[in-house]
Amino acid sequence: MLNIVQVGHSSIAESKKLARHASSIGADSFSSVAAFYFKPLSVENLADCMAEIAGAAPDLPFYYYHIPILTGVGMNMIEFLKYAGKKNT
């Protein structure tokens, strides 16, 4: 069984703490939703936020969980992937 921990939070700092915790307890990977209170205003901002969260547990695979119906953040995912892919290079 794969152990994926959801670390989404309205605070990036809290998401990062949860990501480090997920790593410390042996999670296989972790994911986050977009901040749903102070929403990202652009694809670049969303990618930057997710990169910051992902960087808190760099040894684990990270998944962005895109659920705009719940978060109210509906960005173009093709553009997000293009920009986010550049964050790793």
Side-chain angles (χ1 to χ4, degrees):
M1 180 188 289
L2 190 61
N3 183 10
I4 303 172
V5 176
Q6 170 58 258
V7 303
H9 197 282
S10 58
S11 163
I12 292 172
E14 290 300 317
S15 287
K16 290 168 62 175
K17 286 180 191 176
L18 292 168
R20 287 188 291 273
H21 176 70
S23 181
S24 75
I25 63 169
D28 296 310
S29 61
F30 68 111
S31 66
S32 182
V33 296
F36 40 86
Y37 188 74
F38 295 110
K39 296 173 177 46
L41 300 175
S42 67
V43 169
E44 292 85 1
N45 184 223
L46 175 62
D48 290 343
C49 293
M50 293 302 111
E52 189 172 341
I53 293 167
D59 295 334
L60 293 180
F62 173 77
Y63 302 93
Y64 169 57
Y65 189 13
H66 183 62
I67 48 172
I69 192 92
L70 295 178
T71 63
V73 177
M75 304 279 176
N76 181 311
M77 286 296 97
I78 300 297
E79 292 301 313
F80 170 79
L81 291 171
K82 287 178 185 176
Y83 189 81
K86 295 176 187 176
K87 304 295 286 177
N88 276 339
T89 58

